[in-house]
Amino acid sequence: MTDKIKVLIPEDVVTRRIKELADQISKDYEGRQVHLICILKGSIVFSCDLAKRFTVPVTFDFMSVSSYGNETVSSGRVRILKDLDESIQGKDVLIVEDIIDSGNTLSYLYDLLSSRSPNSLNICTLLDKPDRRETDVKVKYVGFEIPDEFVVGYGLDYNQFYRNLPYVGVIES
Ligand code: IMP
Ligand code: MG
């Protein structure tokens, strides 16, 4: 993979914003514990960098989902590839996602997890493409709103590559 990648959000800007988000979340959850749910694989990089800066206690769990996307007539259907290891009942759950595009994945996950009786349930995403929204999602924490462009880096991939880039970029054609 040797595509030319144009930087959209430089590393220092991402780092600064993640610190702000972590400060805000730590403040909002003061006196409680955050049960962070990392949505594999895209949100691994963001989840780690965010959680490193929490001043509240944090536990992790992981979930892997695959969206049927455009392959089916009725979008919004999501397949669970790996479910959580632990129960979330009574916990203060924070879903961490890399990007919200159509919103179909997150709205499905939000409904699924709220049916499992957490004490609270919120969503934090690094990136948001509001122009692409098909399903409304209640997102509490957003790193950056971005235009409708396909981005890579900071956990986001193109054919599984570029997740390790320390910045968010766009592949130049
Ligand atoms: P949604 O259900 O349409 O909101 O899909 C969200 C998922 O699509 C994300 O978790 C990503 O895995 C993927 N995705 C959406 N936009 C991009 C992008 O610009 N780059 C890489 N992956 C993306
Ligand atoms: Mg993803």
Side-chain angles (χ1 to χ4, degrees), residues 132-149:
R132 298 261 306 167
R133 199 71 89 253
E134 290 171 13
T135 314
D136 199 31
V137 205
K138 282 194 285 176
V139 192
K140 180 136 188 205
Y141 307 101
V142 176
F144 303 92
E145 282 194 1
I146 59 165
D148 179 12
E149 283 187 283

Side-chain angles (χ1 to χ4, degrees), residues 21 30 40-41 69 82-83 99 101 124 129 141 143 150 165-166:
L21 284 173
E30 212 178 315
L40 298 171
K41 303 169 187 158
K82 184 218 167 292
D83 206 336
I99 187 165
D101 190 37
C124 175
K129 286 186 196 169
Y141 307 101
F150 191 82
L165 297 179

Side-chain angles (χ1 to χ4, degrees), residues 39 42 67 97-106 129 132 146 149-152 156-158 163:
I39 309 299
S67 176
E97 185 51 307
D98 51 356
I99 187 165
I100 304 183
D101 190 37
S102 68
N104 292 333
T105 310
L106 252 289
K129 286 186 196 169
R132 298 261 306 167
I146 59 165
E149 283 187 283
F150 191 82
V151 291
V152 294
L156 292 130
D157 73 300
Y158 171 64
R163 294 191 194 276

